[in-house]
């Protein structure tokens, strides 16, 4: 596995350098940006595996940058901010951030959160799927992980962000059965507790959008007592 590269984005250069010193001790590759616009430009050059992103910045703030990044990439984003209001945290996460750390933070906490997000991204399939840079095709389903679009029999279908992430997870690992708890923890990135109904509702809505007959699904199957899976016929189309 290649050495992970982290993009640190903050208009306070002293904070950027302090974080650099913390992460270099973990042997990470480091890149720097000082506003959201520069961060998006850096990301498009490639080679970045995780972003630490401040909220309050000139030119393009962290929330706007998060939305822009999520249009193209599923890379982990950890928001860093001095703001402690619950609404800011909820807004950041709802726009697509994966985690949120409030300044000031301890080096140990920051390192732990970075390792956790990188482990999910690089070891549990997301990075491997993204690195293919192509569509995942299963029968009439065609999912593009980069632009976050799904086509069913040649027609684009609109999914919510959570629905897309669930379908993406299952299509990345066709044939593998995921429990409701696994799906919830991978998609919501929270500890799962009594989540069966939540996942069941999302699965039903996905079926209504991708299946010709949702009651007799061709793609998205339930394995009773265990979880859910996508049937395992798969082909990757490279760009």
């Amino acid at each position: 596995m290649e050495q992970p590269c982290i993009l640190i984005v903050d208009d306070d250069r002293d904070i950027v350098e302090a974080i650099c010193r913390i992460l270099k001790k973990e042997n990470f590759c480091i890149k720097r940006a000082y506003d959201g616009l520069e961060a998006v430009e850096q990301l498009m050059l490639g080679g970045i595996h995780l972003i630490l992103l401040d909220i309050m910045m000139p030119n393009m703030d962290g929330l706007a940058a998060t939305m822009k990044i999520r249009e193209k990439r599923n890379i982990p984003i950890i928001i860093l901010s001095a703001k402690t209001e619950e609404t800011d945290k909820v807004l950041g996460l709802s726009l697509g951030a994966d985690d949120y750390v409030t300044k000031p933070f301890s080096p140990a906490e920051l390192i732990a959160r970075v390792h956790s997000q990188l482990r999910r991204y690089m070891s549990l399939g997301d990075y491997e799927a993204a690195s293919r840079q192509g569509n995942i095709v299963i029968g009439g389903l065609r999912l593009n992980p980069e632009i976050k679009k799904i086509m069913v029999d040649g027609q684009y279908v609109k999914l919510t962000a959570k629905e897309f992430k669930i379908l993406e997870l299952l299509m990345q690992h066709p044939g593998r059965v995921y429990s409701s708890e696994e799906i919830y923890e991978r998609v919501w990135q929270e500890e799962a507790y009594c989540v069966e109904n939540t996942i069941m509702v999302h699965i039903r809505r996905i079926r209504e959008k991708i299946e010709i007959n949702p009651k007799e699904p061709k793609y998205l199957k339930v394995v009773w007592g265990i979880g859910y899976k996508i049937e395992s016929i798969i082909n990757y189309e490279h760009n």
Side-chain angles (χ1 to χ4, degrees):
M1 184 183 296
E2 63 184 294
Q3 182 186 30
C5 187
I6 298 173
L7 176 62
I8 304 170
V9 190
D10 198 308
D11 61 327
D12 188 325
R13 292 173 182 260
D14 290 337
I15 290 178
V16 171
E17 293 310 310
I19 295 174
C20 282
R21 289 193 293 272
I22 293 170
L23 296 180
K24 280 183 177 179
K25 293 179 181 179
E26 300 295 306
N27 297 316
F28 291 125
C29 165
I30 302 296
K31 294 186 178 181
R32 302 167 177 82
Y34 301 103
D35 61 53
L37 187 60
E38 187 179 350
V40 173
E41 292 172 350
Q42 286 256 25
L43 183 64
M44 293 304 106
L45 296 176
I48 295 171
H49 303 93
L50 182 143
I51 302 175
L52 294 171
L53 185 64
D54 186 37
I55 290 182
M56 301 300 293
M57 295 184 294
N59 297 327
M60 180 186 290
D61 66 26
L63 298 178
T66 297
M67 290 190 291
K68 195 71 175 177
I69 291 165
R70 281 291 174 258
E71 291 176 2
K72 299 293 184 182
R73 300 289 303 277
N74 197 34
I75 187 171
I77 299 173
I78 300 176
I79 287 181
L80 305 175
S81 178
K83 290 192 171 185
T84 57
E85 290 86 351
E86 186 71 16
T87 53
D88 294 306
K89 178 179 179 179
V90 170
L91 181 56
L93 295 173
S94 68
L95 291 175
D98 298 284
D99 203 352
Y100 187 104
V101 179
T102 302
K103 301 174 186 174
F105 46 80
S106 72
E109 179 189 10
L110 181 63
I111 290 169
R113 291 178 181 269
V114 166
H115 278 297
S116 175
Q117 293 300 328
L118 284 173
R119 184 166 57 250
R120 291 190 180 100
Y121 183 59
M122 301 185 73
S123 300
L124 298 180
D126 295 334
Y127 171 71
E128 180 183 357
S131 68
R132 295 187 179 103
Q133 297 181 341
N135 295 328
I136 307 173
V137 180
I138 301 177
L141 304 181
R142 181 175 306 200
L143 183 145
N144 189 309
E146 291 295 307
I147 64 172
K148 305 299 178 190
K149 298 288 186 180
I150 176 73
M151 295 182 75
V152 180
D153 296 328
Q155 300 293 321
Y156 282 112
V157 172
K158 187 174 182 180
L159 301 179
T160 67
K162 289 292 191 296
E163 290 167 357
F164 185 91
K165 287 184 177 182
I166 291 171
L167 187 57
E168 182 180 24
L169 171 65
L170 298 178
M171 288 182 68
Q172 285 172 350
H173 305 280
R176 175 176 169 181
V177 180
Y178 284 86
S179 68
S180 295
E181 290 77 11
E182 286 180 293
I183 293 172
Y184 187 89
E185 290 180 355
R186 291 289 300 276
V187 171
W188 276 259
Q189 300 203 348
E190 299 174 357
E191 184 177 355
Y193 179 74
C194 296
V195 298
E196 290 82 3
N197 287 339
T198 298
I199 298 302
M200 182 176 63
V201 169
H202 281 76
I203 293 293
R204 186 182 72 241
R205 290 174 179 168
I206 294 170
R207 279 178 169 169
E208 290 172 351
K209 296 175 181 181
I210 70 171
E211 301 282 3
I212 295 176
N213 183 355
K215 294 183 179 180
E216 296 182 6
K218 176 181 178 181
Y219 303 111
L220 184 44
K221 301 293 186 69
V222 61
V223 180
W224 295 107
I226 302 177
Y228 303 92
K229 70 173 182 176
I230 287 285
E231 290 290 17
S232 60
I233 300 172
I234 186 166
N235 175 51
Y236 285 93
E237 293 185 350
H238 294 270
N239 293 330

